[in-house]
Amino acid sequence: TCFSDFTEMMRALGYPRLISMENFHTPNFMLVSEVLLWLVKRYEPQTDIPPDVETEQDRVFFIKAVAQFMATKAHIKLNTKKLYQADGYAVKELLKITSVLYGAMNTKGVEGADLSEEDSSKFKFDLGSKIADLKAARQLASEITSKGATLYDLLGKEVELREARTESIARPLEINEAEKMMKVAIDCVLEQVQKTKDMLNNVALDEANLEAKIEKRKLELERSQKRLQTLQSVRPAFMDEYEKIEEQLQKQYSIYLEKFRNLTYMEQLLDDHRRAEQEMFEETANMLRLIQNKLKEEEQRLLKSGNNDDSDVEIQEDEGSDSEMEDRQITKQRAGLETFLQG
C-alpha cells in the first residue's frame, strides 16, 4: 500500500520516470537522491542543494541538507538513517514529502487519481507563472525583516532620547536663537546656490571654448581644402616634358616589341636550319656508309675472281684487262669518296 501510494502520488505530481516496487528491493541511493532533489525543487525551485553523491561524504551531506531544508521550510521531520538506507524504509520517508505536495495540489481542485498528463503540465505552467510573485514576496519579506530590525534598534534608543526630546519641548523658544539658526540655514542655502551658479557658468565657458575651437578647426579645414584644390588645378612645369618623354617611351617600346618579335622569329628559323643540316648530314653519312660497304663487297668479289686459274690466255688477258679497269674505277671512286668526306 505504501509503495502504491508513493508511485501514484509521484505520477500525479508529474515525475518524469516510472517508479515500481522492484526499484527498492535493493538499496538504490541514486534513485532516492534523484527523487529527493526533484521533490525539493518542486517545493522551492530556487533551492541550491548540491546534487553530488559520488562519495560517502557527499551522500551524507546531501541527506543532511535535504532533511534540514524540509524541516525549516515545510516543517517535515525526516529520518536521515532510513533515507540513507535507500530501500523500502526510505519510501516511507519520501511519502511524507509527496503527501504534503499531493495534498497541496488537491486543495486547488486537482484530482490525484484521475490526473492526466495535460493536467500535470497545466499545473506546472500555473506554478511557473507564480515564480515572479514568489520572488517579489521574498524580497518584501527580506525588506520587512531589515526594516523591523532597524525599528527595533531605534526603539531601543527611545529610552535615552525620550528625556532629551521632553527637555527640548519643555524649553521655551528663544526668538534670537531661532533667528540665528534660520540665518545660518539661509546662508548655507545661498552658498549652495552660488556654487551651482558658478558650476553653470563654468559649463557655459567650457561650451563657448569648445565652440570657438570647433569654428577654428572648421576654418582650418576650409583653408586646407582650398589649398588642395589650387594645387590640383595648377599644372606643373615639367608636365610638358613628361608627356613628350612618355610619347617617346611608347614609340621606343613599340620598336622594341617589333625587334624582339623579329629576333625570336630569326632564332626559330636558325634552329630549323640547323636541325635540317643535321638531318642532311646524318642522311649523307648513312649513304656514304652504304657506299663503303658496297665497295668493300665489290673489292672482295674481284679479289676472289682474280685468284681463279684458267688455261685460255686470251681469256686471262681479257680478264686481266677487265680487272685493271675495275681497279682503276675502284681507285677513282675511293679518291672521290675521300674528297667528299674531307669536304
Side-chain angles (χ1 to χ4, degrees):
T1 304
C2 178
F3 279 108
S4 61
D5 293 342
F6 177 70
T7 54
E8 278 295 322
M9 288 181 183
M10 291 297 292
R11 186 179 64 82
L13 290 173
Y15 187 68
R17 287 180 53 183
L18 294 176
I19 302 174
S20 63
M21 296 182 354
E22 296 178 355
N23 296 124
F24 296 98
H25 284 170
T26 58
N28 191 353
F29 191 85
M30 298 301 295
L31 180 60
V32 172
S33 63
E34 183 180 351
V35 172
L36 280 174
L37 189 61
W38 186 83
L39 290 173
V40 170
K41 293 290 185 182
R42 183 81 177 189
Y43 190 84
E44 189 172 350
Q46 303 298 326
T47 305
D48 187 12
I49 294 178
D52 298 331
V53 291
E54 296 296 331
T55 62
E56 181 180 355
Q57 187 177 1
D58 292 338
R59 295 181 180 184
V60 172
F61 180 77
F62 177 78
I63 294 295
K64 286 183 178 180
V66 172
Q68 185 178 2
F69 172 80
M70 299 308 298
T72 55
K73 298 293 183 180
H75 301 288
I76 299 173
K77 188 176 181 180
L78 300 175
N79 192 337
T80 55
K81 292 182 179 180
K82 292 182 179 180
L83 285 175
Y84 192 79
Q85 289 177 3
D87 53 4
Y89 292 102
V91 177
K92 295 181 180 180
E93 302 300 322
L94 294 173
L95 190 60
K96 295 179 182 179
I97 306 173
T98 54
S99 60
V100 172
L101 294 175
Y102 186 73
M105 188 175 65
N106 285 333
T107 56
K108 293 185 178 181
V110 181
E111 296 181 358
D114 299 331
L115 189 64
S116 62
E117 294 181 358
E118 295 179 359
D119 295 334
S120 63
S121 63
K122 184 177 179 181
F123 178 73
K124 291 179 184 178
F125 178 75
D126 294 338
L127 183 62
S129 63
K130 299 297 183 181
I131 291 176
D133 297 338
L134 183 61
K135 290 181 178 179
R138 287 179 180 173
Q139 185 176 0
L140 289 174
S142 62
E143 289 180 359
I144 289 170
T145 304
S146 61
K147 294 293 178 66
T150 306
L151 182 61
Y152 178 79
D153 295 335
L154 293 175
L155 289 175
K157 297 178 181 179
E158 174 64 19
V159 178
E160 300 176 359
L161 296 176
R162 186 182 301 170
E163 296 179 0
R165 185 173 64 252
T166 304
E167 185 179 355
S168 298
I169 292 172
R171 188 176 58 186
L173 182 64
E174 296 181 0
I175 301 299
N176 294 328
E177 188 176 355
E179 185 179 359
K180 185 178 180 180
M181 296 299 295
M182 290 297 294
K183 286 182 178 180
V184 171
I186 290 170
D187 292 337
C188 292
V189 172
L190 292 175
E191 186 178 356
Q192 291 180 358
V193 171
Q194 187 63 33
K195 288 181 179 179
T196 306
K197 288 181 179 180
D198 293 338
M199 292 174 65
L200 291 174
N201 292 329
N202 292 332
V203 170
L205 290 174
D206 294 338
E207 186 178 0
N209 292 330
L210 291 175
E211 289 180 354
K213 288 181 179 179
I214 292 170
E215 291 294 331
K216 185 177 179 181
R217 297 292 182 183
K218 285 183 179 180
L219 293 174
E220 291 179 357
L221 179 61
E222 290 179 357
R223 285 197 297 270
S224 300
Q225 289 179 350
K226 289 180 180 179
R227 185 178 179 185
L228 177 62
Q229 292 177 359
T230 53
L231 291 174
Q232 290 177 351
S233 60
V234 172
R235 183 181 176 84
F238 59 86
M239 283 301 295
D240 296 335
E241 184 179 1
Y242 174 78
E243 290 177 355
K244 290 179 181 179
I245 294 173
E246 192 173 9
E247 291 178 359
Q248 294 177 3
L249 179 62
Q250 292 293 334
K251 292 179 181 179
Q252 294 294 331
Y253 183 69
S254 60
I255 295 170
Y256 166 75
L257 287 179
E258 184 178 358
K259 290 183 177 181
F260 182 77
R261 284 197 296 269
N262 294 333
L263 178 62
T264 306
Y265 178 69
M266 296 299 292
E267 288 178 352
Q268 184 178 0
L269 291 178
L270 181 60
D271 292 338
D272 295 339
H273 181 67
R274 288 176 178 174
R275 195 180 301 109
E277 284 185 351
Q278 184 67 24
E279 292 176 356
M280 187 183 299
F281 178 76
E282 291 177 357
E283 186 178 356
T284 305
N286 293 329
M287 290 176 64
L288 291 174
R289 197 178 297 110
L290 292 174
I291 293 170
Q292 287 178 357
N293 293 331
K294 288 181 179 180
L295 290 174
K296 287 180 181 179
E297 291 176 358
E298 186 70 21
E299 185 177 358
Q300 290 176 1
R301 186 177 61 80
L302 292 174
L303 290 173
K304 287 179 181 180
S305 62
N307 293 328
N308 292 331
D309 295 330
D310 196 344
S311 61
D312 192 355
V313 177
E314 292 178 358
I315 293 173
Q316 290 178 355
E317 291 176 356
D318 293 335
E319 287 179 354
S321 62
D322 292 336
S323 61
E324 291 176 357
M325 291 176 64
E326 288 177 356
D327 291 336
R328 294 194 198 98
Q329 291 178 357
I330 290 169
T331 305
K332 290 180 181 180
Q333 290 178 358
R334 285 182 177 177
L337 181 60
E338 290 177 356
T339 305
F340 181 76
L341 287 175
Q342 290 177 0

